[in-house]
Amino acid sequence: MRKIGVFVCHCGTNIAATVDVKAVAETLGREPSVVVSEDYPYMCSESGQNLIKDSIRDYGLDGIVICSCSPRMHENTFRKAAASAGLNPYMVEIANIREQCSWIHKDKAEATEKAILLGKAAIAKVLLNTPLIAGESGVVKRALVIGGGIAGIQTALDIAEAGFPVDIVEQKPTIGGKMAQLDKTFPTLDCSACILTPKMVDCAQNENIKIYSYSEIESVSGFVGNFTVKIRRKARYVDETKCTGCGLCTEKCPVKKVPNEFNLGLDNRRAVYIPFAQAVPKIAAIDADYCNMLKNGKCGLCSKVCTVGAIDYKQEDTFVEERYGAIVAATGYEIADVSRYGEYAYNQSKDVVTSLELERLMNAAGPTGGTLLRPSDGKHPHTIVFVQCVGSRCTPDKGKPYCSKICCMYTAKHAMLIREKYPDTEVYVFYIDVRTPGKNFDEFWRRAVEEFGVHYIKGAVGKISPRPDGTLDVQGSDLLMDEQLHISADLVVLAAAIEPSKTARSLATMLTASMDTNDFFTEAHPKLRPVESPTAGIFLSGVCQGPKDIPETVAQASACAAKVIGLLSKDKLKGNPCVAHSDEMMCNGCSNCANVCPYGAITYSDKEFRMPDRTTKTRRVAWVNPAVCQGCGACTVACPSGAMDLLGFSNSQIMAEVDALCR
Amino acid sequence: MRNKLVERAKELLADGTVTRVIGWKRGEFSYDVTPAVFETAEELEKDFVYDGFCGANVSKYLIRESAKEGKILAFLKPCDAFSFNQLLAEHRIRRENVYAVGIPCEGMADIGKIRSAGIDGVTGIREEGEEFVLSTLYGEERIAKKDALAERCLVCKSKRHPVYDELIGEEGEDLPDDARFEAVDKLEKMTAEERFQFWRGELSRCIRCNACRNVCPACTCENCVFDNPDSGLSQKAAADPFEESMYHIIRAFHVAGRCTDCGECSRVCPENIPLHLLNRKFIKDIDELYGAYRAGENAENKNPLVSFREEDAEPSVVHERGRA
């Protein structure tokens, strides 16, 4: 006869206001095998836990059911409590009567009935629980940071500072990311490059940091503490060990009309190029799409002028395989395509630009040398209109449902800088709301309005039409004055939505990290575990998790580093004992389980079996590596014969729960 | 054709390529043909048949036969070859122990249809153009093929053999799929209630004889969940109407993505339940959600239900479809 204890939590009034907890405890107390059933205001409190511990000892309980909040919240708490009273922690089951019951019901009678059913299901399950013991695995003391923007740089620097080796994989020829393209940063208006490039140099010089620039992640296998990652080092046709970054090749290259992506195509670069002056590593790369030598074997000029013989036209992609204990996703963002909004005439006029393009037009290292000139005719614009929320806060068919968060502040920054430098320029901002929470943020945009005389207009722009005289007719509505406006503008700046990097989704697949519908990485808990992915050993840094400005990104990057350091400083990790195992007598050897296993935990071998008729039969059977299995259960569903089962969540346990609910 | 096959089988037995041959043998009646293993030229001469009643799929028998010592010659119709390939993909057959000979199939007759046409006492069948010529106790009868072919043959998916060591006759081609899914289309157009009533009606005739499972080349588990007392499903009798529906639904789920639509389940059903429609619905769904896929097309293929590609339909799309 099993001895089960049931403990019903009030959670203050969270549960007790909607569920008759006394009735739940009393009813569940009458279930077979239940020897004690108690309720308590806060089961997770010290005295609540003591009640559980004492009951385990006093009644000799061999299984307990806690009717409380989600197991994500306190399962661990109660497992620890059980363990300290001598009960195997996996003999604890949680019936979630808060999130799945009291919080979603209003009728007390209904909620009470449901809570009792959930309790009965948990009792049915715990009766089939078996004590489980977690195994241990080692930790590879090296971290991988994917993405070399400010998020990746900060995370890598912090991890390296703690003494752990860390590799940065960046798909572009240089680290620096979007921040390297910005002109000034809000709210202090210091130069972006001035504060970023020292950090880039720190990365290059730090002994613990290795930068794989112009590289991509090819494949990821393994599990927390022990990932194996294959990195593709794209051919840059320049020997990294020889190139000194002198730039002679980039001056002599005859292919001059390659759109310069660093300046967002606002000017041109050569086929062999160094993205920008402070690039790290400062090594040239040859663009195979444009290079004459690579395309048709005619030219070779760069190789002739290179004094160190670094040019290598025969270079091919190479692969590096490395093991890591932790992986950080820091893949950042891209500017959403604004050409789909025909009303803003982005494709029709060169003088309709995105905010990031404006950053380059205002930057001293940009195509105009820092003087704000119209892209169409190189003249000073005297009337500039900013349009907010282009592609953000839309219905899903029109654009992004979320707020891109950084646009209100950078637009205030742009408006202020323009008014300061060119006081003869009128600046209009069409906005839906101005959202400037943050330290010194609201003061910042108010300065734009109050001190710099920027015209903020609450309303939307309906149509932008290029006129023959080169100006742009901006038609919009002023909601506060309730009138239609026509502004004759020289330049229009669109605050384009930001979206996660296009590479993020395939990376998430490789990492088995989850994503939301907008392709932002999902955090393990939106409030309490914001820098970890639900997949153990995968961490999130920067905008890949959600829109953020630089201060927030840096804060999150350091928080992420702290979590990585915490993991890497452990020598052993306790595994999850709830892993799959295969009943060899039932296994067909069909490979369904191995096909669906996202962790590569299942292998097959031919084994000899003694059959009931005393013959020997060789059969192909599955084996699950418990150190690799994460207990997701995909294999148990794919297995046609039911040979594959999950410890702690066995098929029979789940059937028992369902039966209890249907009884 | 029958003689050609027997001659070739005798040659391969004689030169030691194979030690056994799997083909078809007459049962009590001429239309009652079952797969059989032959070990000598004499046995072949005496009992081997290949005619319009050889609908039985021999591939499943190769699981057991290929585990034995020595190579076996398997005559595979296109349908059998798809099933054979699928079983290879699932590592159920030892390929090195099978010498696969692809043989042509012009469609198999459905004795039920022949009887319904008023032809009784059938003692033999042969093809003549677009007709089956039947010898009966009461003389020779003729019936148009289109009236006598099994449903699965009327909507034949392919005359091609996706795998073989040797081919007898000319290789055929894949056939258009339009007609194959017409019945499924009809079911999809029903309301959920109408569909439920349709299946309750059909499945109410089930006697849980397990013939569909026993013949199915996808149902090859070492220990079937319906025979396993620990699975919670092992009831061999039709205990109640719910029980018999669940049996077929569970079976359809188990073979989803692996079913080659050979139609054996419906052929052997003594109650003429159109079981193949459950499987065909899955095939259609898989094609529409994950791109055209044919189980058994090749032995390396991962079926879409146990593989992941980035362009796969999102779960929400699958969910929406399920609600329709």
Side-chain angles (χ1 to χ4, degrees), chain B residues 2 51 64 80 93 119 130 148 159 167 184 272 286 306 308-309 324:
Chain B
R2 182 257 171 196
D51 61 20
R64 205 172 56 210
D80 306 12
I93 292 177
I119 303 171
E130 287 309 300
K159 302 272 187 213
L167 208 58
V184 178
N272 292 317
I286 289 170
V306 292
F308 174 75
R309 290 174 311 160

Side-chain angles (χ1 to χ4, degrees), chain A residues 174-463:
Chain A
T174 171
I175 59 169
K178 290 284 182 298
M179 189 175 168
Q181 291 174 282
L182 305 182
D183 182 34
K184 302 282 192 293
T185 54
F186 59 76
T188 45
L189 297 180
D190 34 6
C191 153
S192 185
C194 308
I195 56 174
L196 173 69
T197 50
K199 281 186 183 285
M200 292 164 61
V201 174
D202 283 352
C203 280
Q205 290 177 347
N206 195 310
E207 281 180 354
N208 278 332
I209 298 180
K210 194 186 222 171
I211 300 171
Y212 291 108
S213 65
Y214 212 42
S215 301
E216 284 168 6
I217 303 298
E218 189 73 9
S219 66
V220 179
S221 61
F223 52 97
V224 56
N226 200 350
F227 294 103
T228 303
V229 179
K230 197 172 171 189
I231 301 163
R232 175 193 290 269
R233 311 220 56 199
K234 294 182 281 184
R236 66 201 294 161
Y237 307 102
V238 174
D239 188 334
E240 286 185 40
T241 58
K242 291 181 185 161
C243 176
T244 58
C246 70
L248 208 57
C249 53
T250 67
E251 283 165 28
K252 298 293 179 199
C253 176
V255 185
K256 297 176 181 171
K257 295 264 176 179
V258 184
N260 182 357
E261 52 279 85
F262 185 71
N263 282 334
L264 302 159
L266 293 166
D267 66 353
N268 294 321
R269 61 163 168 81
R270 309 292 173 98
V272 56
Y273 67 108
I274 294 172
F276 55 97
Q278 303 100 317
V280 170
K282 198 169 180 191
I283 296 168
I286 296 179
D287 190 333
D289 292 338
Y290 292 92
C291 171
N292 282 340
M293 189 66 188
L294 290 170
K295 271 165 64 187
N296 44 37
K298 287 178 193 141
C299 184
L301 208 58
C302 51
S303 122
K304 287 190 195 101
V305 299
C306 180
T307 53
V308 292
I311 306 289
D312 175 9
Y313 300 114
K314 294 209 168 62
Q315 210 175 65
E316 283 179 359
D317 291 6
T318 54
F319 296 93
V320 180
E321 209 169 84
E322 185 67 76
R323 288 170 68 217
Y324 299 99
I327 300 179
V328 177
T331 46
Y333 69 95
E334 281 163 22
I335 303 296
D337 178 24
V338 291
S339 57
R340 62 185 288 203
Y341 307 108
E343 64 269 33
Y344 297 136
Y346 180 76
N347 277 355
Q348 295 170 43
S349 170
K350 281 186 174 177
D351 298 330
V352 180
V353 298
T354 65
S355 300
L356 192 58
E357 287 165 357
L358 183 71
E359 293 281 351
R360 297 313 303 153
L361 289 173
M362 291 169 70
N363 190 292
T368 56
T371 314
L372 180 55
L373 302 172
R374 294 185 356 145
S376 63
D377 54 12
K379 287 185 184 153
H380 271 293
H382 291 285
T383 307
I384 302 178
V385 173
F386 285 85
V387 185
Q388 298 302 94
C389 299
V390 175
S392 303
R393 305 173 71 195
C394 289
T395 51
D397 55 318
K398 284 270 183 343
K400 311 293 173 190
Y402 52 85
C403 167
S404 294
K405 200 172 184 182
I406 54 176
C407 323
C408 286
M409 282 300 286
Y410 69 58
T411 297
K413 172 191 79 177
H414 290 151
M416 213 184 295
L417 289 170
I418 291 167
R419 288 285 294 159
E420 184 178 56
K421 213 165 170 188
Y422 313 103
D424 60 336
T425 304
E426 289 299 326
V427 176
Y428 300 87
V429 179
F430 281 89
Y431 69 96
I432 306 177
D433 303 293
V434 175
R435 297 177 161 183
T436 52
K439 192 175 173 184
N440 294 328
F441 280 16
D442 205 57
E443 297 90 321
F444 183 81
W445 93 266
R446 289 179 67 91
R447 250 166 66 211
V449 179
E450 288 160 11
E451 288 178 30
F452 289 87
V454 179
H455 309 294
Y456 269 76
I457 303 165
K458 186 174 175 71
V461 169
K463 180 93 187 136

Side-chain angles (χ1 to χ4, degrees), chain A residues 506 509 588 590 595 620 640, chain B residues 90-92 221-222 254 310:
Chain A
S506 60
T509 307
N588 301 329
C590 72
N595 283 348
R620 185 175 188 272
Chain B
E90 295 171 13
H91 311 279
R92 302 293 286 144
C221 283
E222 294 285 324
H254 278 202
E310 273 182 63

Side-chain angles (χ1 to χ4, degrees), chain A residues 7 74 86 95 165 291 324 463 494 535 546 649 659:
Chain A
F7 302 91
H74 276 308
C291 171
Y324 299 99
K463 180 93 187 136
L494 305 177
T535 306
F649 293 91
D659 278 348

